């Protein structure tokens, strides 16, 4: 039994050693590194392949300390930081690469980093540099065109895709951006042609069907608009913008008015804000402004609260207090009375509200006595 255990342990050790040797032998050994830095590089690659990014990063850093400024190690370090979500550290590593040695991969790496950080201006600058050197990188062409479309610059989107389509006129992401650019330019015929091609190419995105449908709306082809927008609505359920356009088309068709009314009612409900959240945010802002003696801003948010929940008594009481702070006794009296009246209609009034009501009644008596004395003295 003892010999069997020893044999098993030796076998496992041998297998582990072989695994490490195989992993290291499969690594692409760089020729631009010193011997010691190469060992660190190989260990880092092995750690990466086992998804141990922390250890991989440590090995690459050790290698960089032995071979400062080496582009290969800087790229590896940047990639590890990117995969770990450490974007600023990734930016710093990429920034150490010599500008004249940036490869296509490096430029795309920078492009994606800026995109991840939502740094659109920098992303577009790098994208333009990529297209200048690699005009048939379709992903960057489509991405750059998308950025121009988002900024309502359809002419630029078309200019950056024009050269590409001479080589590949069937690329779906590129054509999607070209179609949107033509739509923004109100060239609905060309936009519609491209959207039809996209649908035929199985580009079953809700946005593709939506814009195709809108092209039909703009060209008064209501039957096709109805079919296409219906498909868009099926692909993106509960989208209020698609539902509203579909509803309007149904009304224009005449024989689908009932469906149109239903669609528009659904869209109206979906377009409504979260009233509970809006009430809460406005109420909190009213507190903040009152504490800073910014009473007019406080009033604005309290009145907004009433638009989201007209039956709530608390804003009425606070409105009265705020007008009191502004020495506006007429409005103060009005809102105290409205607050008291609201409790008569409330079935769930709390003890705290009734205590506030007592304070409000007391203040109303003071205001009436004050008004009586003022009127008496004026006679």
């Amino acid at each position: 039994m003892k010999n069997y255990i020893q044999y098993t342990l030796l076998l496992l050790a041998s297998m582990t050693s072989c695994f490490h040797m195989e992993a290291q032998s499969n690594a692409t050994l760089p020729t631009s590194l010193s011997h010691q830095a190469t060992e660190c590089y190989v260990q880092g690659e092995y750690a990466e392949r086992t998804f141990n990014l922390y250890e991989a990063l440590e090995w690459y850093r050790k290698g960089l300390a032995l071979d400062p400024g080496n582009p290969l190690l800087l790229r590896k370090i940047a990639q590890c930081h990117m995969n770990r979500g450490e974007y600023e550290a990734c930016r710093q590593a990429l920034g150490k690469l010599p500008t004249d040695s940036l490869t296509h991969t490096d430029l795309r790496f920078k492009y994606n980093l800026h995109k991840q950080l939502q740094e659109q201006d920098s992303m577009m600058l790098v994208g333009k540099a990529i297209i200048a050197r690699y005009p048939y990188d379709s992903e960057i062409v489509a991405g750059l065109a998308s950025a121009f479309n988002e900024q309502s610059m359809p002419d630029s989107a078309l200019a950056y895709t024009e050269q590409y389509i001479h080589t590949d006129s069937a690329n779906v992401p590129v054509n999607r951006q070209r179609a949107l650019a033509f739509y923004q330019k109100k060239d609905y015929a060309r936009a519609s042609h491209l959207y039809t091609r996209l649908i035929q190419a199985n580009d079953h995105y809700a946005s593709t069907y939506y814009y195709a449908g809108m092209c039909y709306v703009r060209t008064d082809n209501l039957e096709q608009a109805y079919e296409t927008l219906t498909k868009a609505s099926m692909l993106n359920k509960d989208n209020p913008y698609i539902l509203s356009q579909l509803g309007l088309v149904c009304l224009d068709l005449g024989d689908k008015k009932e469906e149109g009314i239903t669609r528009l009612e659904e869209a109206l409900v979906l377009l409504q804000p979260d009233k509970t959240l809006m009430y809460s945010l406005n109420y909190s802002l009213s507190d903040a402004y009152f504490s800073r003696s910014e009473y007019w801003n406080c009033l604005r948010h309290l009145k907004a609260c009433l638009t989201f929940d007209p039956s709530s008594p608390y804003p009425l009481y606070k409105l009265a207090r705020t007008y009191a702070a502004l020495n506006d006794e007429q409005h103060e009296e009005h809102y105290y009375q409205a607050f008291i009246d609201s409790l008569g209609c409330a079935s769930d009034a709390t003890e705290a509200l009734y205590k506030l009501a007592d304070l409000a009644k007391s203040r109303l008596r003071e205001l009436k006595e004050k008004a009586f004395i003022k009127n008496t003295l004026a006679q």
Side-chain angles (χ1 to χ4, degrees):
M1 183 66 179
K2 183 178 180 182
N3 290 337
Y4 173 76
I5 293 172
Q6 288 176 338
Y7 171 75
T8 302
L9 290 173
L10 284 170
L11 180 61
L12 286 171
S14 175
M15 290 173 65
T16 304
S17 176
C18 288
F19 177 76
H20 278 276
M21 288 175 65
E22 181 184 0
Q24 292 186 12
S25 66
N26 286 338
T28 304
L29 296 178
T31 58
S32 60
L33 293 170
S34 66
H35 176 68
Q36 287 180 311
T38 299
E39 290 182 359
C40 293
Y41 177 88
V42 172
Q43 292 292 342
E45 277 218 322
Y46 169 68
E48 259 194 282
R49 280 199 297 274
T50 58
F51 305 101
N52 189 344
L53 293 176
Y54 180 81
E55 186 177 334
L57 194 54
E58 290 298 305
W59 279 112
Y60 293 139
R61 282 173 175 160
K62 288 178 183 178
L64 191 63
L66 295 166
D67 195 346
N70 187 281
L72 185 60
L73 289 165
L74 285 170
R75 291 182 181 106
K76 284 291 189 179
I77 289 170
Q79 186 66 62
C80 284
H81 282 307
M82 183 75 160
N83 293 340
R84 283 164 54 83
E86 298 164 346
Y87 301 123
E88 190 55 41
C90 175
R91 188 206 303 275
Q92 291 175 12
L94 286 173
K96 293 176 183 177
L97 287 170
T99 305
D100 57 358
S101 70
L102 291 175
T103 65
H104 182 211
T105 302
D106 295 333
L107 289 170
R108 289 197 61 167
F109 198 166
K110 282 196 168 190
Y111 176 90
N112 288 323
L113 176 62
H114 291 308
K115 185 177 181 180
Q116 184 70 41
L117 293 170
Q118 297 182 333
E119 298 170 345
Q120 193 166 46
D121 289 343
S122 297
M123 182 197 80
M124 293 176 72
L125 191 64
V126 175
K128 291 175 184 179
I130 294 173
I131 298 304
R133 292 168 62 178
Y134 309 98
Y136 301 110
D137 186 337
S138 63
E139 184 179 344
I140 302 301
V141 170
L144 200 55
S146 175
F148 281 122
N149 278 329
E150 286 175 9
Q151 295 182 13
S152 298
M153 299 170 65
D155 288 325
S156 296
L158 291 170
Y160 272 89
T161 56
E162 190 67 33
Q163 181 178 358
Y164 181 87
I165 63 165
H166 289 308
T167 299
D168 178 10
S169 63
N171 185 285
V172 169
V174 172
N175 277 331
R176 194 182 296 138
Q177 296 307 321
R178 285 180 65 77
L180 181 57
F182 282 125
Y183 181 85
Q184 288 191 19
K185 284 172 64 66
K186 300 182 180 180
D187 189 343
Y188 302 121
R190 295 177 76 176
S192 179
H193 173 71
L194 279 173
Y195 280 122
T196 300
R197 285 180 57 191
L198 286 166
I199 291 170
Q200 290 171 348
N202 296 318
D203 181 30
H204 296 315
Y205 277 85
S207 59
T208 299
Y209 282 94
Y210 171 77
Y211 283 110
M214 292 307 297
C215 287
Y216 292 131
V217 169
R218 305 301 183 198
T219 54
D220 293 325
N221 193 340
L222 295 181
E223 288 291 346
Q224 280 192 282
Y226 172 76
E227 291 177 14
T228 314
L229 288 172
T230 299
K231 181 66 175 178
S233 181
M234 290 169 61
L235 290 168
N236 191 350
K237 293 182 180 355
D238 298 331
N239 183 302
Y241 304 102
I242 296 175
L243 283 170
S244 61
Q245 292 298 332
L246 178 56
L248 291 171
V249 168
C250 289
L251 294 181
D252 287 339
L253 281 170
D255 60 339
K256 292 183 171 61
K257 280 193 176 180
E258 186 175 345
E259 181 183 350
I261 292 169
T262 301
R263 299 293 190 185
L264 290 176
E265 291 285 3
E266 291 172 354
L268 277 175
V269 172
L270 291 167
L271 284 168
Q272 294 299 318
D274 183 335
K275 292 185 178 181
T276 302
L277 176 61
M278 295 298 289
Y279 176 95
S280 177
L281 292 175
N282 277 284
Y283 199 84
S284 296
L285 281 167
S286 73
D287 277 340
Y289 281 123
F290 190 91
S291 69
R292 295 171 58 180
S293 301
E294 295 184 30
Y295 300 122
W296 291 110
N297 280 327
C298 177
L299 290 173
R300 177 164 57 87
H301 287 287
L302 287 171
K303 289 176 181 178
C305 285
L306 290 175
T307 64
F308 294 111
D309 187 359
S311 64
S312 177
Y314 288 104
L316 295 170
Y317 182 83
K318 286 188 67 177
L319 279 164
R321 285 188 60 215
T322 308
Y323 277 115
L326 288 167
N327 296 316
D328 185 340
E329 293 179 352
Q330 183 177 354
H331 280 97
E332 179 189 1
E333 182 177 356
H334 168 78
Y335 280 107
Y336 272 135
Q337 189 60 56
F339 167 70
I340 293 168
D341 293 342
S342 71
L343 296 185
C345 303
S347 59
D348 56 348
T350 62
E351 184 179 348
L353 280 171
Y354 283 119
K355 287 182 179 179
L356 292 177
D358 289 339
L359 293 173
K361 290 173 183 177
S362 176
R363 176 60 179 162
L364 282 174
R365 285 194 294 270
E366 290 177 11
L367 289 171
K368 287 177 180 178
E369 288 174 4
K370 187 176 180 180
F372 175 77
I373 292 170
K374 183 179 179 180
N375 290 333
T376 301
L377 292 174
Q379 292 176 358

